[in-house]
Amino acid sequence: MEVFVRNLPEGATERQTRLYFKPYLSNLNIEVFHCLKPKNQRFAKITICDVALGRKFLELHGQATPGRDGFRSVRQKLFHHGKPVNCSQSYNPPDPFVLKSLEREENDKTVAELRRQPGTSKTVKQPTQRKFSCSIRAIGSMDYSGNDLVVVDHYQTHRGGTMKFGRRSVLVEFSVGPTLPSQQMEMPYNSIESLLVGKSTHPYLTFSLGEAPRSFEKTPSPEDDLTHLLGSLGLRPQQSRQTSPMRRRTTAIDPLHQTIVASCLCYSFRAIPGDMQAILALKRLPGFPNIVPCHVGYSTTAAFATQMTQLNTALSATRYKGFSFEVKFQLQRLAQNGYLPPYRILQLMQAMKRTFADAEGPTLASALRRFSNQIPYPGPGTEASDFSQDTLLELLMENYDHVVRDKEYAKDITQQYEHLASIHKAMVTPAGVYLSGPEPEVKNRVLRCYSAFSSYFLQVSFLDEDGESIRYDRNSSLTEIYHERFKKFLGFSHSSLRAQTCWFMAPFAWNGELRFARAVIKDLGDFSAIRSPAKCAARIGQAFSQTFSSVNISPEAFHILPDVEQVDTSGHRRVFSDGVGTCSISATQGMISLDRRLQGEALCLRPSMIKFEANSTEIEICGAGFKPLPFYLNRQLIKILEDLGVPDEAFLSLQEEAVEQLRITAENPINAGYYLQRNLIGKSARLPWLIRKLSYIGMLFSDDSFLRHTHELAILIQLRELKYRSRIYVEHGMTLYGIMDETNYLKEGQIYCSVQNEKTGLILTGRVVITRCPALHPGDVQYVDAVDVPLDSPLRSLHNCVVFSSMGDRDLPSQLSGGDLDGDLYNIIYDDALMPTHLSDPADYPIAPAIDLGREITRLDMTDFFIQFMENDQLARLSILHQTLADQKEQGVFDPSCILLAEMCSTAVDFSKTGIPVDLKLMPRSSNVRPDFQAPGPRVLVENAIKIEELELQEDDEDEDEPEESGPAATRYYRSDKVLGKLYRAIDEQDFFTEIQRQSRSPSRPQSISLAEKVWEYVRDKTALIQYHHYLDFARDVKKAYEQNMIDTMLENSSHPMHFVSEVEVFAGALIGKNGAQTKRQREFSTSMKEKQDRDVAYTVQCILQGEEQDISQVEALERSVACLDVAIHEQRTRGRFGRLVSFTWVAAAVCLKEVEKFVN
C-alpha cells in the first residue's frame, strides 16, 4: 500500500521525514517501509508492504475527506513543527519494485536470524547515544616528549563542535553561527588506524588516521533564521526551488588546517567527562575501530608549515647537493606522507651527510624507501627509543647494507626488462599530495625516447583520500576540488584519462640545451592543425600509451593507401578501413595486418590512421594477436541475449559448470594443482607443481595455512567474479582483434576467422554471433556467416583475428557498439545454446563533431579539458542505471529509456575524444531501488585466515543524531526475476566457501610438526651427504631481497601509499574485492601486481639455481636450494608492521624439491 502525505515542510529531507513517521509506524509493528520525499516539495509517499497494517495506520492517522473537516475526523492527528500533516491512501498503486525490495528486506532479516549460531543475539544492539559535544584538543602527529607519548599540536585552535558517529564514519561539525556555513570533517571508520581513549579525568579521544579526513562546508538550512521567524508569525516565505547540494567538498576546514591536513594525521578531541562511558559503548558499532585505553599527553613545537619550509630549504641547499634527486624524493616522501615529522628528517639528514658521504644515490634512495616501510607508528606498542636519532640511523644503515648486498647479484628490474622504466609517482587528493615509487612501469614512446631521463618524469593521479576515484555525491558539490585543486599537467593517454592520471616532467639537459615539456611534445609531431582540446589531448596521449616494444621501419617502406569507403542509402559516408593498414612483415600483426602480396619491406597506412604529422618512423607495438583470447559473458551482454530469446537455462548451465569446476578443485591436491596451473596462479613460483609433488611424497599442501589460504583466495576471487559480475567463461567463444579483408573476397555479412594456439588450429564456418563490449543496445549483437577462403588466398596467412568484409552498405564493426578497426576487440560466439531467436537493427548514432575552438590549442585548454572530464565522466553511473531499468522494464533493453541510455553511454564514451559531455538532463528518472544482483556482498577479511563476514542484522534505529555521510545514498534491493537475478541467487557465497574450507582442511589429527618441517626432513633425508652451509649467507641475502620485493609489491598495489595489501594476495596474484567483485582499479592493480610478482619470483629462482657467478652446475644448484630452504624455515623474523612473511619458504621448497628430484633420479 502507498500512503500519500501532504503539508510537509518543503525543506524537510527524505531522512527527516522517515524519522518523523518511524515511531508511529513502529507502534503498529511496521518496521520495514519505504519513504520517498522529493526535494523542495511539500508531499511524500510512504510504501508499506503489508496492506492490512497499512490500513491500520490509515484508520488511526488517515484523512478520509480533504479539508479542515476531514482533518477533524482523524482519530490520532499528526503535526510536524506545529502544522497538521495529512495522510491518505494514494490514488496510484505502489511501485512494484519498492514492494519487492521491502519483501526482500523482511526475508533477509528472517534468513539472517535462522543462520545465526544458537545462543547468539538476534540483532546487534546499537548504542543509544551517538552524538557528543567536543572541542579540538590537537591536530598534529604522535611523538614522544621524553618517555611520554604525546600528540604534538600544529593547529592550536580549540574549536568547539559536535561529534556524530554514523554507520560508516565519524563526522565532526563546527558551527560559527546560525546564519554562517558550518565546517565538517568526516573520518571513515576504515581509515582510523587506532582510537586512543583516556579516562574520565582525561576525557580525550585521539584518532590516528591512515588517510586525511574529508572536509566539507555546509550551508545553513533554508528553514533557519528568517524562515523560523516568519513561521512563528504564521507566515510562509517564498522558497527557492534550487536543487544544488547544501554541502560542498573543501580541501580543509580553514586555511590553518589546510597547511597540515595532508601530513598531520593525528586528531585529538576533548569530550565531556560524563560522556566517556557512552563513547566506550560505541565499540558495538559494526566496523568501529578498536578502542585502546591510553592517556596521550599534549605538546607543542614549531609550526608544521615552518618545519616543512626548513626541510624544503635544506633539500635545495648547497650543503646537501651531494644528495641525488632520488634521495631527496624519498626524504620529501618521509615528511609529506606523514612517516616522520620534518624536524626528525632534518636531524636524520645531518647524520646521513656524515655516514653516507660516498654512497651511491640510487642505493641510498632504495635504502630510504625500505626504511620508510619499517618506521613504526608512535602508540601504546612503541617506546621513545624507537624514534631516537641513533635508532633511526641504525635502521637506515641496516637497510643500506641490505641494498648493497642485493645489488651484488640482483640487477635492477629495469635492467632485466627493456620494456620497463622506473617511474616516480604522486597522488593528488583534495587534502594533499602523496609521493610513492619509483615503480616499474611499461614504457611509452616518450619514456623510450628519453630512457636515460626517466627520473625527470612524474606520473600523477588525481584521486580521493582513499586512493579511489572521486565518486559522484548527490549531496555535495565538488566544484572547488575540480576547479581550484586539480590543475596543470604534461600529457595523458586515453586509458589514463579515465583513470584520472597524467604526466609531469622537470626540464633536463638534452643535446646541449634545457629540455622543457613544450619541446618534448613538439618532437612528438605537429599538433597545430588540431582545434579541439579533447582531440589534441587524445593525439598527444597516443605517445603516452604503454607499449611493450617498438620496430624501426625505413622511410622507403611507408606507403599510403586510400581508405575503403561506401555511401549508404541514407547518404552517410562509411569508412570500412577505419584504423587498419597492411604490411609485408610477418612479425608485425594487430591493426597492421599481414598482406603477403606486398613485395619487399612495406608498411601501408591509410588516412584514417594518420592522426597528425610526425617525423618518427618507429612503430610502437601496443598488442598483437599471438593467440585467441578467451571469451567471458558479462551482465550487459547476458541481458541483451536474454531479451533476444536466449533461454535462462543456457546461462544457468554455463554458470553451474563454472561453479562445479571451482568445487572440484578442493577435492584433492591434484585438482587443486591443475586449477592453479590453468589460471596461471603461482606459475613462476612453481606452486601448481609443488602442490602435486607434496601429494606424491605423502604430504598435503592444505596442512600449511599459507598454501591453503592461497588456494582458497584463488577460488574465492573466481567465485566473486561469477556472482557479482556474472563473468562466465564460454568455451565455444573467443575474443579477437578486428581487421578488414584487403582481397575483397568476403561478401557483406561474412567474416573469416582462423585461430591457432600452441596445440590446435580452427577455421570457423557457419552462422555465429558477433558482438563487442561494452554492449548496451540490443543491436550490438548480430549474426554473421563465418566462411573459409581458398587455399591460395592471402587471408590464409592471417590468424587469431576476425576479418571483416569490405563490401556492403555499412561496415559491420560500426554496427557493434560503434566499433572500428584501430585496435578494437570483438567477441565471437559459436555455442548453439547462446544463439538468439531474433535480432534488432543496430544503432546508428550521429557522429558528433569535436568542439572546435577555431585556434591552436594551448596547454591551458587541455588542462581545462582534463578537469572537465574528471568532473563530468558519468559513464559508470549511466551504465548502472541502464542495467537497473533493463531489469525493471517489461521490454528490457528494448524499452525507450534503455535505448536512450545506450545512446547517452555512447556519447559518454566519445567524451574523451569530442570534448562533448553527456547531457544528464536527458537521463531517465528512477527510484532508488535496485535489483538484488547489484547489492554489495559481505566483507572479506584477509588476515590470519580468509573470512567472509556475515552481513550484520542491525536494528534500524537511526535517529536525528546520525550524520548524513558522504558517498552513495541508502539503497533498497528487490528480488529480480530476470536471469541476472537467478544467476546471482544460484550462488550462495557463504555456504560454498564454508564447504570449500571444510574440504581443503585435512581431517582433525594431531600435527606434531609443521608441513614446512616435514618437507625439510624429507629433503635432509634425500640429501644427507650434501654440504650446503657455505651458502647460508647467500641464502640469507636471497631471502632478504625476495621479502623486500614482496613488501614493495604489497605497498605499490595498495590504493593508498600508507596502506598495503596482504602477502597471500600478492602470492596469488590477485586482489580480493572486499565487498563483491574486484573494482576496475583493483583488476588493473592485480594485473600489474601479478606481472611484478612473477618477475621477482622468476629472478629469485634464477638466483638460487645459478648463484652469483651464473653457475649452472646441478650439484651447486642443489646446495644453494637446500641452504635457502634451511634459512626460510629456521630463520623467520617479523618485518615490522608487515608481520612475518612466509611465502619465500614455498618458493625455496619448490626449487629445492625439484633439484632433489633431479638428484635422486
Side-chain angles (χ1 to χ4, degrees):
M1 173 185 288
E2 184 175 273
V3 176
F4 193 82
V5 182
R6 301 178 180 84
N7 207 32
L8 290 169
E10 289 183 32
T13 65
E14 187 168 282
R15 180 168 169 271
Q16 290 168 342
T17 305
R18 174 181 172 83
L19 292 172
Y20 171 76
F21 279 101
K22 183 177 179 180
Y24 300 108
L25 293 166
S26 184
N27 288 338
L28 298 171
N29 294 321
I30 304 173
E31 303 295 343
V32 178
F33 64 94
H34 180 74
C35 176
L36 174 66
K37 167 63 171 68
K39 282 186 177 181
N40 303 311
Q41 298 292 333
R42 294 174 57 80
F43 69 88
K45 299 177 182 178
I46 296 175
T47 305
I48 301 169
C49 192
D50 191 314
V51 176
L53 292 177
R55 287 174 178 160
K56 282 188 177 181
F57 174 82
L58 289 176
E59 287 173 5
L60 288 175
H61 309 293
Q63 184 173 334
T65 57
R68 294 184 177 180
D69 293 338
F71 186 73
R72 291 193 188 99
S73 65
V74 175
R75 291 173 57 185
Q76 293 185 13
K77 300 176 177 61
L78 300 178
F79 295 89
H80 193 290
H81 288 304
K83 294 183 179 179
V85 175
N86 310 121
C87 301
S88 60
Q89 184 170 348
S90 175
Y91 295 122
N92 300 317
D95 185 326
F97 297 102
V98 170
L99 284 177
K100 291 173 72 173
S101 73
L102 296 177
E103 292 170 358
R104 178 180 183 269
E105 190 171 332
E106 290 180 342
N107 181 68
D108 285 351
K109 286 190 174 185
T110 302
V111 171
E113 290 178 4
L114 293 174
R115 292 181 69 161
R116 289 185 178 278
Q117 295 290 333
T120 60
S121 58
K122 293 183 178 180
T123 58
V124 177
K125 180 65 177 176
Q126 299 282 326
T128 56
Q129 183 181 356
R130 290 200 270 176
K131 178 181 178 181
F132 306 91
S133 296
C134 69
S135 62
I136 296 178
R137 180 195 183 206
I139 301 177
S141 58
M142 299 281 276
D143 208 335
Y144 283 90
S145 177
N147 291 320
D148 297 327
L149 184 65
V150 298
V151 54
V152 179
D153 188 10
H154 291 294
Y155 189 61
Q156 299 183 21
T157 302
H158 307 297
R159 300 179 65 175
T162 57
M163 183 178 294
K164 303 177 182 179
F165 293 88
R167 299 189 186 277
R168 301 185 299 267
S169 62
V170 54
L171 187 77
V172 185
E173 184 167 3
F174 309 99
S175 299
V176 180
T179 62
L180 298 175
S182 62
Q183 308 299 322
Q184 297 179 333
M185 287 191 306
E186 184 179 270
M187 298 179 284
Y189 292 148
N190 59 13
S191 74
I192 300 173
E193 300 288 344
S194 65
L195 173 54
L196 307 183
V197 178
K199 298 180 180 179
S200 57
T201 53
H202 298 91
Y204 305 133
L205 281 72
T206 304
F207 297 84
S208 288
L209 306 180
E211 63 194 46
R214 294 163 174 78
S215 301
F216 300 88
E217 182 179 88
K218 185 178 180 181
T219 57
S221 167
E223 291 196 349
D224 288 348
D225 314 321
L226 182 62
T227 305
H228 283 299
L229 176 61
L230 294 177
S232 65
L233 298 175
L235 302 174
R236 185 169 64 87
Q238 183 68 34
Q239 283 192 314
S240 168
R241 295 279 176 173
Q242 64 178 6
T243 59
S244 58
M246 294 179 61
R247 291 204 310 178
R248 68 182 181 94
R249 183 81 179 269
T250 58
T251 57
I253 59 175
D254 57 38
L256 176 59
H257 186 229
Q258 191 167 358
T259 65
I260 62 175
V261 62
S263 307
C264 296
L265 301 179
C266 181
Y267 286 74
S268 188
F269 299 93
R270 181 180 288 104
I272 297 174
D275 287 341
M276 295 306 291
Q277 282 300 114
I279 290 174
L280 290 172
L282 293 170
K283 63 184 179 182
R284 297 200 300 267
L285 286 173
F288 196 78
N290 290 331
I291 295 178
V292 180
C294 178
H295 173 65
V296 181
Y298 176 87
S299 178
T300 59
T301 185
F304 184 82
T306 302
Q307 291 187 37
M308 284 299 295
T309 300
Q310 292 172 347
L311 176 62
N312 292 332
T313 301
L315 289 172
S316 58
T318 56
R319 181 183 179 190
Y320 295 104
K321 66 179 181 180
F323 288 171
S324 65
F325 162 77
E326 291 84 359
V327 170
K328 292 180 179 180
F329 181 90
Q330 296 302 330
L331 290 168
Q332 182 81 23
R333 174 174 169 265
L334 288 174
Q336 212 150 303
N337 290 18
Y339 288 106
L340 286 174
Y343 83 91
R344 287 199 185 275
I345 300 172
L346 285 166
Q347 294 174 352
L348 184 64
M349 286 171 60
Q350 296 174 9
M352 286 172 57
K353 190 173 184 297
R354 297 188 300 269
T355 308
F356 300 102
D358 300 323
E360 293 183 357
T363 305
L364 183 54
S366 296
L368 278 167
R369 189 181 180 196
R370 295 185 180 189
F371 163 78
S372 67
N373 299 330
Q374 297 168 12
I375 300 172
Y377 291 105
T382 61
E383 298 179 359
S385 59
D386 295 335
F387 302 91
S388 69
Q389 181 178 332
D390 290 343
T391 302
L392 294 175
L393 182 61
E394 182 180 349
L395 182 60
L396 178 58
M397 292 172 62
E398 180 183 336
N399 279 281
Y400 183 83
D401 291 340
H402 290 165
V403 174
V404 171
R405 287 201 299 271
D406 292 349
K407 287 183 177 291
E408 290 178 359
Y409 69 91
K411 295 179 182 178
D412 182 83
I413 192 71
T414 57
Q415 294 176 352
Q416 299 175 47
Y417 301 93
E418 291 184 358
H419 69 284
L420 297 178
S422 192
I423 300 299
H424 293 82
K425 297 184 178 182
M427 183 176 83
V428 180
T429 73
V433 179
Y434 302 94
L435 306 179
S436 62
E439 299 169 11
E441 283 285 320
V442 176
K443 289 180 180 177
N444 51 49
R445 179 180 288 272
V446 174
L447 293 178
R448 189 169 280 112
C449 180
Y450 301 102
S451 57
F453 300 91
S454 60
S455 62
Y456 288 81
F457 292 87
L458 182 72
Q459 192 181 70
V460 182
S461 300
F462 297 85
L463 303 167
D464 212 334
E465 306 305 331
D466 58 0
E468 296 290 341
S469 298
I470 294 181
R471 291 173 282 273
Y472 166 77
D473 184 355
R474 66 175 186 173
N475 297 317
S476 303
S477 167
L478 298 169
T479 301
E480 178 177 323
I481 302 304
Y482 287 123
H483 292 278
E484 297 181 25
R485 176 70 179 149
F486 296 162
K487 284 281 185 180
K488 197 176 181 182
F489 69 97
L490 166 64
F492 51 84
S493 68
H494 177 71
S495 59
S496 69
L497 176 62
R498 293 206 175 273
Q500 302 184 358
T501 300
C502 60
W503 290 88
F504 285 66
M505 69 162 280
F508 52 85
W510 174 264
N511 292 338
E513 63 179 18
L514 206 57
R515 199 74 164 171
F516 290 90
R518 189 181 300 108
V520 170
I521 293 176
K522 185 178 179 180
D523 281 354
L524 295 177
D526 183 7
F527 305 98
S528 59
I530 302 175
R531 297 291 186 259
S532 165
K535 187 167 289 187
C536 186
R539 299 299 175 247
I540 295 174
Q542 288 178 275
F544 292 89
S545 297
Q546 292 184 344
T547 53
F548 289 87
S549 61
S550 62
V551 178
N552 280 307
I553 305 293
S554 65
E556 295 78 17
F558 283 89
H559 305 279
I560 301 298
L561 292 177
D563 271 309
V564 178
E565 301 178 352
Q566 304 282 359
V567 177
D568 64 17
T569 54
S570 60
H572 293 133
R573 184 175 65 91
R574 306 289 187 180
V575 181
F576 283 64
S577 58
D578 190 1
V580 64
T582 63
C583 70
S584 61
I585 309 165
S586 61
T588 305
Q589 300 181 34
M591 298 324 100
I592 299 174
S593 63
L594 174 64
D595 188 345
R596 70 184 188 194
R597 298 172 300 175
L598 297 174
Q599 300 298 314
E601 187 178 272
L603 179 64
C604 301
L605 306 179
R606 289 190 164 93
S608 61
M609 303 173 67
I610 302 172
K611 308 301 183 183
F612 56 89
E613 294 297 326
N615 296 323
S616 174
T617 59
E618 191 173 54
I619 302 299
E620 304 275 336
I621 300 176
C622 301
F626 295 122
K627 61 181 180 179
L629 301 175
F631 169 60
Y632 293 89
L633 291 168
N634 57 49
R635 285 181 170 173
Q636 294 168 333
L637 185 54
I638 288 173
K639 183 56 190 164
I640 291 176
L641 291 174
E642 177 191 27
D643 292 344
L644 292 179
V646 176
D648 294 355
E649 291 72 21
F651 306 108
L652 290 166
S653 176
L654 284 172
Q655 178 175 276
E656 184 180 355
E657 182 179 339
V659 172
E660 184 59 26
Q661 289 293 321
L662 292 178
R663 182 176 284 109
I664 64 175
T665 65
E667 292 180 353
N668 58 65
I670 306 302
N671 290 348
Y674 282 118
Y675 169 75
L676 297 178
Q677 182 174 321
R678 284 197 310 272
N679 290 277
L680 303 178
I681 296 171
K683 180 181 178 181
S684 57
R686 303 177 179 178
L687 181 60
W689 179 88
L690 173 65
I691 288 176
R692 295 195 296 268
K693 178 65 177 180
L694 290 173
S695 177
Y696 294 152
I697 61 177
M699 302 180 196
L700 292 175
F701 80 94
S702 55
D703 285 346
D704 178 78
S705 60
F706 183 80
L707 293 179
R708 187 172 65 246
H709 294 159
T710 300
H711 180 229
E712 291 173 354
L713 182 72
I715 292 176
L716 182 57
I717 288 173
Q718 292 294 325
L719 184 72
R720 294 201 134 199
E721 289 290 290
L722 287 169
K723 183 172 178 68
Y724 298 104
R725 289 181 64 203
S726 301
R727 188 172 185 268
I728 305 171
Y729 173 68
V730 178
E731 183 179 3
H732 295 135
M734 60 185 72
T735 302
L736 303 167
Y737 286 110
I739 60 174
M740 188 191 71
D741 174 19
E742 302 283 347
T743 69
N744 296 325
Y745 177 84
L746 299 176
K747 297 181 176 61
E748 182 179 8
Q750 292 182 339
I751 63 168
Y752 173 70
C753 183
S754 171
V755 295
Q756 288 184 347
N757 55 31
E758 298 86 351
K759 298 179 181 179
T760 60
L762 170 68
I763 295 179
L764 282 184
T765 57
R767 192 172 70 159
V768 299
V769 170
I770 190 165
T771 183
R772 174 179 167 269
C773 293
L776 294 170
H777 190 279
D780 291 338
V781 174
Q782 294 293 323
Y783 273 129
V784 289
D785 290 323
V787 299
D788 198 355
V789 296
L791 293 176
D792 61 347
S793 170
L795 298 184
R796 281 278 179 168
S797 300
L798 298 172
H799 305 289
N800 301 329
C801 58
V802 53
V803 184
F804 291 99
S805 171
S806 60
M807 299 183 180
D809 199 42
R810 178 183 175 187
D811 61 301
L812 181 57
S814 70
Q815 302 176 46
L816 308 173
S817 302
D820 54 32
L821 301 178
D822 66 356
D824 289 357
L825 289 166
Y826 295 86
N827 308 120
I828 298 174
I829 307 171
Y830 50 100
D831 187 326
D832 292 339
L834 296 177
M835 295 292 144
T837 59
H838 58 279
L839 295 177
S840 169
D841 291 335
D844 192 6
Y845 307 127
I847 301 175
I851 291 177
D852 190 337
L853 298 185
R855 56 171 173 79
E856 190 171 342
I857 303 303
T858 66
R859 187 176 67 178
L860 181 60
D861 294 328
M862 289 187 288
T863 302
D864 289 340
F865 169 66
F866 189 88
I867 300 299
Q868 183 192 22
F869 185 87
M870 285 195 293
E871 190 175 22
N872 294 284
D873 183 17
Q874 300 290 332
L875 181 58
R877 183 180 170 199
L878 292 169
S879 299
I880 291 174
L881 180 58
H882 178 278
Q883 191 178 90
T884 301
L885 294 182
D887 188 80
Q888 294 177 355
K889 301 295 184 179
E890 186 175 347
Q891 292 179 275
V893 294
F894 288 90
D895 188 88
S897 62
C898 291
I899 298 295
L900 172 61
L901 281 168
E903 182 174 3
M904 294 177 72
C905 284
S906 176
T907 302
V909 168
D910 292 339
F911 178 25
S912 61
K913 299 176 183 176
T914 64
I916 302 175
V918 67
D919 186 357
L920 295 180
K921 294 177 182 176
L922 301 175
M923 190 163 64
R925 292 190 175 188
S926 69
S927 61
N928 199 29
V929 180
R930 294 182 179 180
D932 53 356
F933 57 81
Q934 292 181 351
R939 197 159 64 110
V940 173
L941 300 179
V942 184
E943 294 173 351
N944 295 327
I946 300 175
K947 178 183 178 184
I948 302 178
E949 290 192 327
E950 288 276 3
L951 287 172
E952 289 287 350
L953 180 64
Q954 301 166 5
E955 290 185 345
D956 191 12
D957 60 349
E958 60 181 348
D959 54 37
E960 292 185 3
D961 289 342
E962 186 173 337
E964 294 193 23
E965 300 159 307
S966 62
T971 304
R972 279 201 158 88
Y973 300 93
Y974 62 86
R975 180 187 172 96
S976 169
D977 295 327
K978 305 292 176 63
V979 69
L980 288 175
K982 295 176 182 178
L983 290 168
Y984 172 79
R985 293 187 299 275
I987 297 176
D988 189 316
E989 181 182 17
Q990 188 73 257
D991 286 353
F992 179 90
F993 193 64
T994 299
E995 177 62 18
I996 290 294
Q997 288 184 317
R998 185 192 65 78
Q999 290 183 12
S1000 65
R1001 284 163 170 76
S1002 55
S1004 178
R1005 62 177 185 270
Q1007 297 287 334
S1008 56
I1009 60 174
S1010 67
L1011 178 63
E1013 286 289 354
K1014 289 181 181 178
V1015 172
W1016 175 246
E1017 288 183 355
Y1018 173 85
V1019 168
R1020 291 308 294 141
D1021 178 63
K1022 300 294 182 182
T1023 62
L1025 300 179
I1026 295 295
Q1027 298 298 314
Y1028 68 90
H1029 292 85
H1030 56 292
Y1031 277 120
L1032 287 177
D1033 286 340
F1034 167 84
R1036 294 183 183 105
D1037 289 341
V1038 173
K1039 178 175 181 288
K1040 288 174 184 175
Y1042 171 87
E1043 291 185 347
Q1044 186 55 52
N1045 285 334
M1046 172 62 71
I1047 289 173
D1048 289 346
T1049 308
M1050 291 164 69
L1051 287 165
E1052 290 168 7
N1053 294 281
S1054 170
S1055 59
H1056 192 277
M1058 301 295 286
H1059 304 158
F1060 59 91
V1061 302
S1062 67
E1063 183 185 17
V1064 69
E1065 286 175 285
V1066 174
F1067 197 68
L1071 301 173
I1072 186 72
K1074 296 299 188 289
N1075 290 97
Q1078 295 173 318
T1079 64
K1080 181 180 179 182
R1081 189 172 179 81
Q1082 283 178 323
R1083 290 196 295 274
E1084 292 170 351
F1085 274 5
S1086 293
T1087 300
S1088 60
M1089 180 179 75
K1090 186 179 186 305
E1091 290 173 353
K1092 182 180 183 302
Q1093 173 66 3
D1094 285 346
R1095 290 194 301 265
D1096 292 341
V1097 171
Y1099 197 74
T1100 299
V1101 171
Q1102 179 184 339
C1103 289
I1104 297 174
L1105 293 177
Q1106 299 182 8
E1108 301 171 69
E1109 306 299 329
Q1110 300 295 297
D1111 177 17
I1112 58 174
S1113 165
Q1114 182 176 327
V1115 174
E1116 296 291 320
L1118 176 60
E1119 292 172 355
R1120 284 189 293 268
S1121 67
V1122 174
C1124 287
L1125 184 61
D1126 188 357
V1127 169
I1129 295 174
H1130 301 121
E1131 297 186 18
Q1132 294 186 358
R1133 67 185 184 95
T1134 300
R1135 300 293 295 257
R1137 61 193 176 113
F1138 304 97
R1140 181 173 293 176
L1141 303 180
V1142 298
S1143 59
F1144 180 74
T1145 298
W1146 300 110
V1147 174
V1151 177
C1152 190
L1153 288 173
K1154 190 69 172 178
E1155 293 306 304
V1156 168
E1157 184 179 89
K1158 295 177 184 177
F1159 177 72
V1160 172
N1161 293 335

